[in-house]
Amino acid sequence: MQPKVLEEWKDLAILCAKSAGKLSLEKMNQPYEVNYKTSASDLVTAVDEEVEQLVIDMILKKYPDHGIIGEENRFKGDPSDAETVWIIDPIDGTTNFVHQQINYSVSIAVYHKGEAAVGVVYDPSRDELFHAIKGKGAFLNDRKLELTREVKLEEALLCTSLFWNKKAEQFGIDVIFKELAGKVRAMRLLGSAALELSYVAAGRLDGYVSLQLNPWDFGAGKLIIEEAGGKVTSMGGKPLPFNEKSSVVGCNPSFYAELKGYIRSNMFLNESAVKDE
């Protein structure tokens, strides 16, 4: 892909993310409808849907032949028909948006022929923009991100939601991570996977682990970590798909082998739990 085209995609993705972030901030203090998807902890708001539609309209105005995969499923076409696909999470961390009004993000990724080309994650509440182009590095606003610090298990700050994940409980993985919590420096949870992956790229977290994420959760963050020099795979060590659910391990490169080794060595009886979905 020509560098000029990649820059154009990045510029549009940033414009979309900032426009979406602005809209979310405007709607935050206005009355809006909150609904459940699958449970009381799985929320969607009218703002999610409005923000996604805004981004879709902006993309299709410039690239009518591109496909779009969005969390709220508002794209009317079939994204598999397009070589270039945009993957959107209009508000990643909707529960945080509703309750805290911080720790949520807009995530936009561009994939060409199944390969990550552009990743943008925007935190409207802090005006922090994480972005990357394949082969051109990752940035937080104008600062280049490079993961050069050596990290050992006992020094690591990790992020995971596996402590109360129902599938993790089913296979006993929650117990493994509770034990891991006693071996690392500390555990954190922000509630926005895209933001948590971006924090790994920025060195604010040393690793992030999830048993199952959707492509709009990890599509942009994956590339941002990789372009910062980090590692991102499934829990089984496989490359992440761009259009399917998957477990995710995102990590400082010096810590990846130790973390993945710990996970794999303690899950030999739970192989079915970490198979790529």
Side-chain angles (χ1 to χ4, degrees):
M1 185 54 58
Q2 294 295 323
K4 181 181 178 182
V5 174
L6 293 176
E7 286 288 341
E8 289 174 353
W9 291 349
K10 182 207 73 174
D11 290 345
L12 180 57
I14 289 174
L15 179 61
C16 287
K18 288 197 168 185
S19 299
K22 181 181 178 182
L23 180 59
S24 73
L25 291 173
E26 290 172 354
K27 296 291 184 179
M28 182 179 287
N29 295 313
Q30 300 176 14
Y32 57 83
E33 186 178 357
V34 179
N35 294 307
Y36 300 166
K37 288 185 177 179
T38 59
S39 70
S41 61
D42 187 11
L43 302 181
V44 62
T45 73
V47 182
D48 294 76
E49 295 171 349
E50 188 174 347
V51 169
E52 180 166 303
Q53 192 62 56
L54 170 70
V55 175
I56 289 172
D57 290 345
M58 292 177 69
I59 293 168
L60 295 182
K61 182 177 180 180
K62 187 162 186 178
Y63 300 111
D65 60 331
H66 285 192
I68 299 173
I69 298 173
E71 181 175 14
E72 309 312 327
N73 200 30
R74 297 187 69 83
F75 178 64
K76 303 306 181 185
D78 184 351
S80 64
D81 292 337
E83 284 192 337
T84 304
V85 178
W86 296 64
I87 303 177
I88 304 166
D89 195 336
I91 298 181
D92 184 52
T94 300
T95 300
N96 292 345
F97 174 80
V98 171
H99 286 271
Q100 301 176 332
Q101 301 187 338
I102 59 171
N103 294 330
Y104 73 95
S105 60
V106 181
S107 177
I108 301 175
V110 187
Y111 279 67
H112 183 68
K113 296 182 178 180
E115 296 293 327
V118 170
V120 171
V121 174
Y122 181 53
D123 177 351
S125 66
R126 299 179 178 91
D127 193 26
E128 290 192 329
L129 180 76
F130 302 86
H131 58 97
I133 293 178
K134 179 71 174 177
K136 299 293 184 180
F139 297 83
L140 167 52
N141 295 333
D142 294 325
R143 177 171 67 87
K144 188 170 186 180
L145 301 177
E146 295 181 285
L147 290 173
T148 58
R149 183 171 67 90
E150 296 287 321
V151 179
K152 296 180 181 179
L153 188 69
E154 64 270 19
E155 301 170 336
L157 182 62
L158 290 188
C159 187
T160 184
S161 61
L162 290 178
F163 297 134
W164 51 82
N165 180 286
K166 291 181 180 179
K167 187 175 179 182
E169 291 176 354
Q170 177 185 352
F171 289 98
I173 297 172
D174 61 321
V175 176
I176 293 168
F177 274 82
K178 286 173 183 175
E179 293 174 355
L180 179 60
K183 299 179 182 295
V184 299
R185 181 163 287 165
M187 289 274 196
R188 295 290 184 267
L189 175 63
L190 295 178
S192 167
L195 203 55
E196 289 159 329
L197 290 167
S198 298
Y199 276 20
V200 172
R204 296 174 181 176
L205 296 168
D206 297 307
Y208 171 83
V209 183
S210 179
L211 188 59
Q212 189 177 82
L213 290 180
N214 288 297
W216 47 80
D217 297 315
F218 61 76
K222 167 190 178 293
L223 181 64
I224 293 169
I225 289 179
E226 290 173 342
E227 286 300 311
K231 290 276 293 182
V232 187
T233 66
S234 71
M235 290 174 75
K238 296 180 180 180
L240 298 185
F242 84 96
N243 58 356
E244 298 176 359
K245 290 181 179 180
S246 177
S247 60
V248 175
V249 177
C251 207
N252 178 300
S254 67
F255 177 53
Y256 173 80
E258 191 173 11
L259 176 59
K260 192 170 85 63
Y262 179 89
I263 293 171
R264 297 298 295 178
S265 65
N266 285 280
M267 289 185 181
F268 64 95
L269 295 178
N270 298 303
E271 285 296 321
S272 57
V274 300
K275 284 181 180 179
D276 299 319
E277 299 284 336

